[in-house]
Amino acid sequence: MEGFIKYSAIHEGNMSDSKTLPEMIDKLRTHTCTQTAVVVLDAGIATEENLKLITAKGYHYLCVSRTKLKDYTIDPNRLTVMMETRSKQNVRIKAIQTDKDTDYYLEIKSDAKTVKEQSMATQFEERFEAYLARVQQALLVKGGVKKADKVWERIGRAKEKYPSVHHYYDIKVSVDDTKGIATDLSWEKQETRRQARETQYGMYFLRTSLKIADEVIIWNIYNTIREIEQTFRTLKTELDLRPVYHKTDKATMAHLHLGILAYWLVNTIRCQLKSHGINHSWTEIVRIGNTQKIITTSGQNTFDKTVTVRKCTQPNEKLSQLLGLLKIPPKPFTKRKSVVHKLLPQKNKNNKNQSFSSG
């Protein structure tokens, strides 16, 4: 559960993630310890076929359910667990019971995810209504789309474009049957449907084959993949891992391997800090490290030579704590007391041919 890389591979770019799992499972068996491993997956790769494959190989799995459960009940024998994430967001965890299968399920309700999904839904509703308004306006202007079947086609494209919000609306089109021309378009939002959907915002389900009736343990195991994804997300920005602009496969592989090595270094630092009770994300560690600055000053001396002096600021309290735990010097370098300038190479002004003779 420390998030260290045991094995990595580069696959073809036109291959879906779900098809790479069988090969990765076989490599996992040969490159890891003999103990029963837990394969943590995201929802995109957690197909029923892949979950059966993991079980057949003798491993357990933990993933986000690809579908939101509907027919389930809260386990009366388990307590609701309230946790606070490292980003100070509240998460509610409930054990649930379902007749769908024998897996262990947890209902997760995240405040941060709720706010995000509410914001996205509001944005999609505004765009959907704006699209309908354009269709309505076309009925009133010369040359606009007025044929009833074409109007319904445009409404259908709007529904296709915003599938998550269009069912909140009742849409009516008034048609002149004699000409087949739409004369008016109106819509009404059904708040009861929207409110019913709002109760599902920020909710998802964890599914596992582990027989561990401890919500905290399951949550901590799942957070391993979340931390890895968050770290790689930061490294992709800092190392420009995406998009890949290299023209050759060798250069691309070298760039990706650089990302793997960078993650190994990041996780080693975080693991050492965790052993001392500091659970900062890599983004936070980088932010604290950026508080120390290096100042470079250049000037001309009496011999008309350029002298450059570099100094670094004193680390603040938070950075000093991290550097002390990692056994890193508080200053990356010290000021040099004297400078000896390198002699510049001079061209040979003798144009005569030089001869070499043996001793």
Side-chain angles (χ1 to χ4, degrees):
M1 291 176 60
E2 298 296 341
F4 282 100
I5 297 174
K6 304 293 290 186
Y7 172 77
S8 64
I10 299 175
H11 299 275
E12 295 181 7
N14 59 351
M15 184 182 298
S16 63
D17 291 341
S18 59
K19 293 183 179 179
T20 63
L21 184 64
E23 180 181 349
M24 296 302 295
I25 291 295
D26 292 334
K27 296 295 184 180
L28 181 67
R29 182 182 293 275
T30 57
H31 287 80
T32 60
C33 59
T34 58
Q35 298 178 354
T36 303
V38 180
V39 181
V40 185
L41 314 93
D42 59 14
I45 199 173
T47 62
E48 292 293 335
E49 182 180 354
N50 285 337
L51 297 182
K52 292 179 181 179
L53 173 64
I54 294 173
T55 304
K57 295 292 185 179
Y59 299 113
H60 291 292
Y61 57 80
L62 173 59
C63 63
V64 176
S65 177
R66 291 171 64 90
T67 58
K68 289 192 175 183
L69 302 180
K70 296 181 180 180
D71 299 327
Y72 67 91
T73 57
I74 303 299
D75 191 342
N77 300 320
R78 306 298 304 172
L79 298 176
T80 300
V81 178
M82 298 296 296
M83 298 190 64
E84 186 179 70
T85 64
R86 294 187 179 92
S87 57
K88 305 301 180 180
Q89 298 293 335
N90 293 323
V91 175
R92 187 196 69 196
I93 305 175
K94 291 183 178 181
I96 62 176
Q97 295 176 339
T98 176
D99 297 332
K100 181 179 179 181
D101 50 48
T102 59
D103 285 346
Y104 181 57
Y105 283 88
L106 292 178
E107 178 195 86
I108 312 297
K109 179 75 170 181
S110 170
D111 289 349
K113 189 176 179 65
T114 300
V115 174
K116 178 181 177 181
E117 292 185 356
Q118 286 177 340
S119 176
M120 292 176 61
T122 301
Q123 188 179 61
F124 290 154
E125 289 173 13
E126 293 174 352
R127 293 178 180 177
F128 182 70
E129 292 182 7
Y131 195 106
L132 294 180
R134 291 196 296 270
V135 177
Q136 183 187 51
Q137 183 64 24
L139 303 178
L140 306 176
V141 298
K142 184 178 180 180
V145 178
K146 298 182 178 64
K147 289 186 177 181
D149 55 344
K150 296 295 183 180
V151 171
W152 280 114
E153 284 182 10
R154 296 188 68 185
I155 295 174
R157 286 196 293 268
K159 291 182 176 181
E160 184 179 6
K161 190 173 183 180
Y162 303 102
S164 61
V165 298
H166 73 80
H167 52 270
Y168 300 156
Y169 296 85
D170 288 332
I171 303 174
K172 297 180 181 179
V173 178
S174 300
V175 181
D176 185 349
D177 295 331
T178 58
K179 299 180 180 180
I181 299 298
T183 58
D184 189 25
L185 170 64
S186 61
W187 60 89
E188 182 180 359
K189 184 189 296 185
Q190 298 297 324
E191 291 296 337
T192 54
R193 300 176 192 172
R194 190 180 190 279
Q195 291 172 2
R197 174 58 180 161
E198 281 184 344
T199 60
Q200 303 296 319
Y201 288 156
M203 186 181 298
Y204 59 97
F205 299 89
L206 294 184
R207 176 183 178 183
T208 180
S209 60
L210 291 170
K211 305 303 179 183
I212 301 177
D214 191 323
E215 292 80 358
V216 177
I217 293 178
I218 299 298
W219 175 255
N220 289 336
I221 295 175
Y222 172 67
N223 269 293
T224 303
I225 192 173
R226 293 164 63 93
E227 291 190 7
I228 293 173
E229 289 175 344
Q230 182 183 10
T231 302
F232 265 117
R233 193 177 298 115
T234 304
L235 290 177
K236 287 173 184 176
T237 302
E238 295 176 347
L239 303 179
D240 291 333
L241 290 182
R242 283 186 179 179
V244 177
Y245 293 105
H246 303 294
K247 296 182 179 180
T248 62
D249 291 342
K250 288 185 178 180
T252 301
M253 292 179 65
H255 199 167
L256 295 178
H257 281 303
L258 174 63
I260 297 295
L261 293 175
Y263 172 79
W264 190 275
L265 176 62
V266 167
N267 202 57
T268 300
I269 293 174
R270 294 193 62 205
C271 185
Q272 292 178 355
L273 294 178
K274 287 179 184 178
S275 64
H276 293 89
I278 297 178
N279 298 313
H280 293 331
S281 65
W282 179 244
T283 303
E284 177 65 11
I285 295 174
V286 171
R287 187 195 67 79
I288 295 175
N290 284 336
T291 58
Q292 188 177 29
K293 304 298 181 180
I294 296 177
I295 301 173
T296 303
T297 305
S298 299
Q300 301 293 120
N301 61 9
T302 55
F303 299 99
D304 200 25
K305 299 291 185 180
T306 301
V307 178
T308 302
V309 178
R310 301 185 71 200
K311 293 183 178 181
C312 60
T313 61
Q314 291 287 345
N316 58 23
E317 182 178 354
K318 290 185 178 180
L319 181 57
S320 297
Q321 181 187 17
L322 299 184
L323 295 177
L325 295 176
L326 297 173
K327 298 181 180 180
I328 298 177
K331 291 187 177 183
F333 56 86
T334 57
K335 185 178 70 173
R336 292 176 293 185
K337 297 297 181 64
S338 59
V339 178
V340 178
H341 293 281
K342 294 182 179 180
L343 296 177
L344 297 177
Q346 297 181 353
K347 294 183 179 180
N348 186 5
K349 298 181 180 180
N350 187 4
N351 294 326
K352 296 181 179 180
N353 294 330
Q354 298 180 352
S355 60
F356 297 91
S357 60
S358 61

